[in-house]
Amino acid sequence: MENASIEGRRPRKTLVVLAVGALLVLVLGYMALTGITLDRHELLGARIGANKGEVVQQLSRHGVEEVLPKLSVSPIISARNIDRINALSDAPGICLNDYGTSASAKFNFDPAEGPIGLVHDSSVKMSEISTIRTRDELISKLTQLLTQNNALEAFACITGNGWVRIAADSRSPDTAALIKYDVWVVNIPNTYSTAELDFVEGKLKGIKHRVRLFEPF
């Protein structure tokens, strides 16, 4: 009987070991695909505390040709929080969504992309904003429209082509457009890794380096 009991436990132990092993393989596989994020004090010559111009120079010297700007957290403005409409005053672009008509549109304020422009992202056009040409006009009109339409939302967005080409000369037009953003994403040259650079008051405050497990840290 005792031998039978022991023999009965062995398959269960084997199943547990196999299950744990399979789970470990899945976790390692996921980490290999997505990578892990490390906090860095320096990366590609860019050090914590450096200003944006210095960071651009270092990135360019280390082979980085393009940087993807990201927006910091920005509120979605609607009739419920219309008092925060001024949060959009400095946005490089303002996106509008009308969930009642499925209409959507973008206003671009980026000097590097030329004069203010309006792009409709849907077949339904927002005629109320088609003649607006300045940010002040748009903020004023949005205040009115958002108050009247509970289905309309506005939020800050990047309306250009995304990646910005950089040069060691921080005075170049493209680099000047990048400087106004406080979050940059960089592809590390000759690797599958990326980094997110966070700036506060113009100074580099954080470097999050996302690396793959099969690459050196």
Side-chain angles (χ1 to χ4, degrees):
M1 293 292 294
E2 184 177 351
N3 289 337
S5 177
I6 292 174
E7 291 298 326
R9 289 197 297 268
R10 284 176 179 171
R12 287 196 293 271
K13 288 182 179 179
T14 301
L15 289 175
V16 170
V17 171
L18 289 174
V20 171
L23 180 61
L24 183 59
V25 169
L26 288 174
V27 171
L28 290 176
Y30 175 80
M31 293 177 66
L33 289 174
T34 62
I36 58 175
T37 301
L38 305 173
D39 290 321
R40 299 287 201 189
H41 181 76
E42 177 183 358
L43 188 66
L44 297 175
R47 292 176 175 268
I48 295 295
N51 63 44
K52 293 180 180 179
E54 293 169 342
V55 172
V56 166
Q57 291 177 358
Q58 290 298 329
L59 294 179
S60 181
R61 289 171 184 168
H62 286 78
V64 176
E65 297 181 349
E66 294 182 319
V67 174
L68 178 66
K70 290 176 59 179
L71 291 176
S72 302
V73 177
S74 177
I76 296 176
I77 308 300
S78 65
R80 295 182 295 275
N81 61 345
I82 191 65
D83 58 309
R84 300 190 64 188
I85 188 70
N86 288 331
L88 303 179
S89 296
D90 298 324
I94 296 178
C95 291
L96 312 176
N97 285 335
D98 188 333
Y99 296 100
T101 63
S102 297
S104 61
K106 296 177 183 176
F107 269 94
N108 172 42
F109 299 98
D110 192 339
E113 300 292 335
I116 181 174
L118 170 63
V119 177
H120 285 282
D121 290 334
S122 61
S123 58
V124 180
K125 309 301 182 185
M126 296 183 180
S127 58
E128 305 95 328
I129 59 174
S130 59
T131 60
I132 293 175
R133 292 294 177 267
T134 69
R135 185 190 295 269
D136 289 343
E137 288 179 22
L138 180 58
I139 295 296
S140 177
K141 189 65 176 179
L142 283 180
T143 302
Q144 174 190 343
L145 294 176
L146 290 167
T147 302
Q148 298 172 348
N149 184 357
N150 290 329
L152 187 65
E153 293 182 345
F155 52 93
C157 61
I158 297 175
T159 57
N161 295 324
W163 291 90
V164 176
R165 291 192 65 83
I166 63 171
D169 182 2
S170 61
R171 295 169 297 179
S172 70
D174 286 342
T175 304
L178 173 67
I179 293 295
K180 65 187 175 187
Y181 296 100
D182 289 329
V183 183
W184 302 356
V185 175
V186 176
N187 286 330
I188 310 301
N190 304 314
T191 75
Y192 295 97
S193 301
T194 61
E196 183 172 290
L197 311 181
D198 296 301
F199 296 86
V200 176
E201 297 181 353
K203 301 290 186 180
L204 184 58
K205 293 297 184 182
I207 303 174
K208 295 189 179 299
H209 184 195
R210 193 165 190 81
V211 299
R212 308 294 184 181
L213 290 184
F214 52 81
E215 293 183 321
F217 293 1

